[in-house]
Amino acid sequence: MSQGKTLIEIKNLEKHFGKLQVLKGISIDVHQGDVLAVIGPSGSGKSTFIRCINQLETPTAGQVIFEELDLTAKKVDLDKMRQKIGMVFQNFNLFNNMTVIDNITAGPIKVLGVAKEEAEKQAMELLARVGLSDKAKEYPIKLSGGQKQRVAIVRCLAMKPDIMLFDEPTSALDPEMVREVLDVIRDLAHEGMTMIVVTHEMGFAREAASRVVFMDDGVIMEENEPHEFFANPKNPRLKDFLSKVL
Amino acid sequence: MSGFFSFARLIQVFERYHNFFFDGLKTTLYISFFAVLMGTLLGLLFAFGKMSRLKVIKGICSVYIDIVRATPLLVQVMIIYYGTLSLGWKLQPTELNAFFWGMIAVGMNSGAYMSEVIRGGIGAVDAGQMEAARSIGMSKGKAMRYVVLPQAVRNILPAVANEFVTVIKETSVLGMCGIHEIMFRSGDVASIGYVYVETYVIAACMYFILVFPVSKLVGQLERSMNKSVTR
């Protein structure tokens, strides 16, 4: 796989919730253009890990260095850094009080200061890309899960992020809608978007990822390029896990 | 005089003393309006105060809210009215003084209740909304203003309407400290002619014509805001 410049450096990341230690020292680098799939059993700390990257969870120890800035440092302007780190949530989290188009333009207009007209034009282009032009004026409640998630992805893209984080983007979807969302993510991957995807979709990890990471018990147990990862798993916990899900 | 209630007598009382009733209605209306306004502003202040990260502010707001909610409005009104009198904080004329401090007392009382309503409304907005807003780079303030508060307002509208209605009705205790609102004026009328039931039925009608439109209005507002939450 091509090795672009290092975009994110994660060093000895730890997270405790009270007495429970969820992350027990995670270190990994993400390079430009990487598509990192993170798999593992529930409770292994995958979601906490990805939420620690954009500091939605504050790590207890360790560093997250994004574009040469340590996000865990006290003085860093997180709002500014988050503009470049998109995040797609399991439960979509579209703004319920806004129409689809307003959801997409909220970031560019209120955060980046883009003119309304320009933001809307860009939003319509992005909506067309995911086949939802006709839903621009709808409120999120009228959309299906798959449509909501596609809008959520577009909302991220409107900020022109350098990296996108996907936290189980298809886990809350009905089975027939998983595909439409994965197709969009796969297209983005092909276009060279750097991304970290926490997922239970093994097929997606195998085809679209450039690297696959197996997490269990708060640590990274194995990391490899997808073919080797699935063909020759080494860690016994990974072997066990794969035998259950494949 | 005979019978417990006579409609003819009611008409008679109203015809003779309608100025008293409308005067009282006007005073009740003014005082409710300003008290509701003050209650809402104080409610916002205390709601954010209680959610503050600063322990001192949080503590002060919590104590205030607890005390106000655990004591009767009438007692609060008396303490504020006589308290300010003895401090010499007196406005002229006397009637304006009573009006002013009565309004302050009701507003301060309402603020405590309103803050709990507002806090509940903000708390009821799914945490994912705030997270999504923060994740695209909005500051906490922007996320509150553009995403969380608009949804909280819709959540709390029925409870706020209830609080408005409660405030209007509770101003009825203000007659006790000499404010010429509906109850005070009705007391005047009743004691002039010794006609009690009919007089207070008229008072009830006065409150009804104040409160009923408020609750209807808010109902309408709620329906128009429901566009984004119904399929």
Side-chain angles (χ1 to χ4, degrees):
Chain A
M1 285 293 133
S2 69
Q3 293 262 307
K5 68 166 182 157
T6 305
L7 204 57
I8 292 190
E9 250 178 283
I10 293 157
K11 292 180 185 169
N12 296 317
L13 196 66
E14 288 183 33
K15 176 70 187 177
H16 301 247
F17 290 108
K19 281 193 179 142
L20 182 71
Q21 185 171 9
V22 180
L23 299 181
K24 299 174 179 168
I26 303 246
S27 298
I28 193 168
D29 291 355
V30 182
H31 302 101
Q32 190 123 44
D34 268 352
V35 176
L36 192 73
V38 181
I39 66 169
S42 19
S44 58
K46 304 182 302 287
S47 282
T48 307
F49 165 63
I50 205 168
R51 289 163 58 83
C52 277
I53 295 176
N54 68 350
Q55 308 291 308
L56 280 185
E57 300 289 355
T58 310
T60 315
Q63 290 175 300
V64 177
I65 296 162
F66 171 67
E67 294 178 347
E68 285 156 22
L69 253 161
D70 183 2
L71 302 187
T72 60
K74 277 215 164 80
K75 279 195 175 160
V76 74
D77 183 356
L78 272 181
D79 296 336
K80 189 139 181 83
M81 300 316 287
R82 285 193 184 118
Q83 295 169 15
K84 298 187 220 162
I85 308 175
M87 187 166 208
V88 175
F89 300 85
Q90 183 176 351
N91 295 316
F92 329 123
N93 293 344
L94 291 182
F95 306 136
N96 295 323
N97 57 321
M98 300 181 194
T99 58
V100 164
I101 186 113
D102 290 343
N103 261 277
I104 301 166
T105 57
I109 295 174
K110 315 285 190 206
V111 179
L112 300 179
V114 174
K116 187 168 187 239
E117 215 168 87
E118 196 188 326
E120 286 186 347
K121 186 168 156 259
Q122 184 209 2
M124 288 311 293
E125 284 166 14
L126 287 168
L127 272 179
R129 249 181 77 176
V130 297
L132 291 172
S133 301
D134 55 328
K135 302 291 182 193
K137 298 282 176 208
E138 299 285 7
Y139 280 95
I141 192 114
K142 300 221 173 171
L143 305 182
S144 71
Q147 291 170 336
K148 281 185 201 173
Q149 198 60 301
R150 282 184 280 160
V151 172
I153 292 170
V154 164
R155 178 174 65 181
C156 265
L157 289 175
M159 296 296 290
K160 303 193 170 84
D162 294 343
I163 182 170
M164 288 177 77
L165 311 174
F166 293 84
D167 186 8
E168 302 199 23
T170 59
S171 297
L173 297 176
D174 292 336
E176 75 271 21
M177 293 171 182
V178 170
R179 175 101 183 263
E180 64 187 56
V181 171
L182 287 184
D183 283 347
V184 173
I185 301 174
R186 197 176 285 127
D187 284 350
L188 285 171
H190 286 317
E191 286 164 25
M193 175 65 77
T194 310
M195 51 176 85
I196 302 177
V197 188
V198 171
T199 185
H200 290 292
E201 300 291 327
M202 295 305 142
F204 172 81
R206 197 199 307 249
E207 297 155 32
S210 59
R211 291 155 72 203
V212 186
V213 162
F214 174 66
M215 271 183 76
D216 196 10
D217 206 19
V219 293
I220 293 178
M221 295 267 180
E222 186 152 339
E223 186 207 330
N224 215 329
E225 55 87 21
H227 182 77
E228 269 299 298
F229 184 93
F230 288 104
N232 291 312
K234 292 173 188 70
N235 187 292
R237 303 270 277 275
L238 174 57
K239 282 182 189 166
D240 182 50
F241 178 73
L242 290 178
S243 73
K244 283 176 189 153
V245 295
L246 286 180
Chain B
M1 282 198 218
S2 67
F4 134 86
F5 179 81
S6 141
F7 193 68
R9 208 154 52 207
L10 185 146
I11 298 291
Q12 205 179 20
V13 169
F14 187 70
E15 273 183 342
R16 191 174 299 169
Y17 301 110
H18 62 268
N19 279 342
F20 279 63
F21 290 112
F22 284 125
D23 251 19
L25 181 75
K26 221 161 66 186
T27 305
T28 294
L29 186 67
Y30 285 147
I31 219 161
S32 302
F33 177 80
F34 288 116
V36 158
L37 200 69
M38 184 175 155
T40 308
L41 294 177
L42 278 182
L44 269 171
L45 203 73
F46 286 125
F48 282 105
K50 208 170 163 178
M51 290 188 293
S52 166
R53 262 177 296 183
L54 294 172
K55 287 220 168 77
V56 181
I57 293 178
K58 197 173 168 164
I60 292 171
C61 293
S62 299
V63 168
Y64 176 87
I65 292 166
D66 287 342
I67 290 176
V68 169
R69 296 208 309 168
T71 52
L73 173 64
L74 181 56
V75 177
Q76 295 162 15
V77 168
M78 289 304 179
I79 290 174
I80 287 179
Y81 180 67
Y82 290 110
T84 53
L85 266 189
S86 63
L87 281 170
W89 298 355
K90 202 168 178 314
L91 277 67
Q92 294 297 340
T94 307
E95 203 180 310
L96 177 72
N97 185 62
F99 178 93
F100 181 77
W101 291 113
M103 178 197 82
I104 296 285
V106 177
M108 285 176 69
N109 174 277
S110 176
Y113 286 95
M114 204 73 99
S115 77
E116 292 296 89
V117 169
I118 293 169
R119 214 164 52 89
I122 292 171
V125 176
D126 181 41
Q129 297 285 308
M130 177 55 105
E131 287 187 349
R134 298 307 301 275
S135 80
I136 56 170
M138 283 194 191
S139 62
K140 208 171 183 182
K142 278 184 180 169
M144 267 286 167
R145 182 163 147 216
Y146 297 119
V147 178
V148 177
L149 282 181
Q151 295 182 52
V153 167
R154 194 183 51 225
N155 289 345
I156 65 177
L157 220 49
V160 168
N162 244 330
E163 179 57 24
F164 286 0
V165 164
T166 304
V167 167
I168 295 174
K169 291 191 290 188
E170 292 217 315
T171 55
S172 58
V173 306
L174 293 178
M176 302 286 279
C177 65
I179 297 170
H180 298 182
E181 45 69 70
I182 294 174
M183 283 305 284
F184 185 92
R185 288 304 202 179
S186 302
D188 284 350
V189 173
S191 56
I192 295 169
Y194 303 109
V195 179
Y196 291 94
V197 177
E198 290 81 356
T199 303
Y200 286 113
V201 168
I202 295 173
C205 293
M206 294 285 148
Y207 282 110
F208 186 84
I209 59 176
L210 270 185
V211 167
F212 193 66
V214 171
S215 46
K216 284 288 143 194
L217 206 74
V218 174
Q220 204 137 44
L221 195 63
E222 228 177 299
R223 272 191 296 281
S224 75
M225 286 180 81
N226 268 348
K227 267 192 309 194
S228 63
V229 289
T230 45
R231 265 182 188 272

